[in-house]
Amino acid sequence: MPSLQHYSTFGLNTSCTSIKSFSDVDSFLSLYKNTDVCYLLGGGSNSIFTETFEGTVMVNKIKGISHFDDENSHFLRVGAGENWHELVKLCMQNEWFGFENLALIPGSVGASPIQNIGAYGVEVDTLIQTIEAVVLNTGEKILLKNEDCQFGYRDSVFKHALANKVLITHVNFVLPKVYELNTAYGELAALTNPTPQDIYHKVIEVRKSKLPDPAILGNSGSFFKNPIVTYDHFRTIADRYEHMPHFIVKTKSAGDSVKIPAAWLIDQAGFKGKTLNDVRCHPTQSLVLTNLGDANGSDVLSMARDIIASVSDRFNIKLEPEVRLLGSKGLISL
């Protein structure tokens, strides 16, 4: 059975029945109709195979970037198999600004709307115009408008009604030429009159200082989502922790919600730098679990469950994984 170790940035030594790649819709449909069980994979930065997967892993390598602009905006049509950061870098080089806060996020362009990736106050859904996809069972090509995608915090229709039902082939972005830079989060707030390039370089600098390079130390980036709680729940915690970091989330319904950094919760639960065999909670960013070399899926799941249980006991908050965890039959839940 072929190894999946180099198809997932976490780098567990697991395998699957077969691995196939495709670079266009026709080749995908030809492969798909002859496959009983499959998992669609992009860059492998958000999928951890915890044991042998009894099916075919199909790697999306649909490439291509096209651009045009008008008086107000830049428009990009990008193949789902393109690397996300390489796209951001290309845009910065051409002064097609808007992606600067999202620099150095690992993964593929096709995965970006599924997770609704975000960083430093910007989420990718604000820049997506439409998504081109193929219905798996019929081969029908469909075009989804932004509102069709039901975007939420690290969430989209592709995790719910369309989960395992469509293949994203292209993402169409619109980047306004006039917009307000977002410097509200973290180290960006210290910048004085920054340009998009300043933000781009600062984001890369900060991410490199805190986050391990998956090419050197196996990891899947942020393992957990930042939880969003009611304001009343937040107040009960804030009464005990005066300087707890938090961000107010405006909602359409009555009352605000509050986003609390999962890393802070994990720190308070005592997991920063903690190891379980070859799985480690990263010492400079506890939101990241790492593979010290010979980690196995059982230890990854045990560490994640221990963190979830400890944070729940201490704060009455249940952390949810941001990564996709796979067992022998497919996606598994913690």
Side-chain angles (χ1 to χ4, degrees), residues 90-125:
L90 174 70
C91 290
M92 299 304 296
Q93 290 169 349
N94 285 281
E95 298 186 351
W96 307 332
F97 298 132
F99 288 137
E100 53 274 358
N101 294 57
L102 305 177
L104 215 62
I105 294 177
S108 65
V109 169
S112 66
I114 298 174
Q115 284 293 106
N116 189 16
I117 61 172
Y120 296 97
V122 174
E123 292 184 328
V124 75
D125 70 291

Side-chain angles (χ1 to χ4, degrees), residues 48-67:
I48 300 178
F49 295 88
T50 63
E51 59 183 320
T52 296
F53 175 63
E54 297 174 3
T56 298
V57 172
M58 301 182 69
V59 184
N60 190 336
K61 293 189 176 181
I62 297 176
K63 299 294 181 72
I65 300 173
S66 59
H67 165 268

Side-chain angles (χ1 to χ4, degrees), residues 244-263:
M244 178 180 66
H246 63 280
F247 305 94
I248 301 297
V249 178
K250 298 294 183 181
T251 60
K252 294 179 181 179
S253 58
D256 293 331
S257 298
V258 181
K259 183 189 296 184
I260 301 174

Side-chain angles (χ1 to χ4, degrees), residues 12 20 36 60 179-180 184 192 211 216 241 257 278 290 309 331:
L12 296 184
K20 298 176 181 178
D36 290 331
N60 190 336
Y179 66 101
E180 186 175 347
T192 303
L211 303 173
I216 299 172
Y241 298 90
S257 298
D278 262 22
T290 63
L331 291 170

Side-chain angles (χ1 to χ4, degrees), residues 131-176:
I131 291 175
E132 300 172 43
V134 173
V135 179
L136 299 182
N137 289 338
T138 66
E140 177 191 3
K141 296 179 181 180
I142 59 175
L143 184 69
L144 298 167
K145 297 178 182 178
N146 184 291
E147 56 267 28
D148 299 328
C149 298
Q150 299 173 22
F151 289 118
Y153 173 63
R154 301 296 178 271
D155 200 20
S156 69
V157 72
F158 305 106
K159 287 187 171 184
H160 302 285
L162 294 183
N164 304 314
K165 294 182 180 178
V166 300
L167 165 75
I168 294 174
T169 62
H170 296 81
V171 182
N172 296 298
F173 298 97
V174 56
L175 307 179

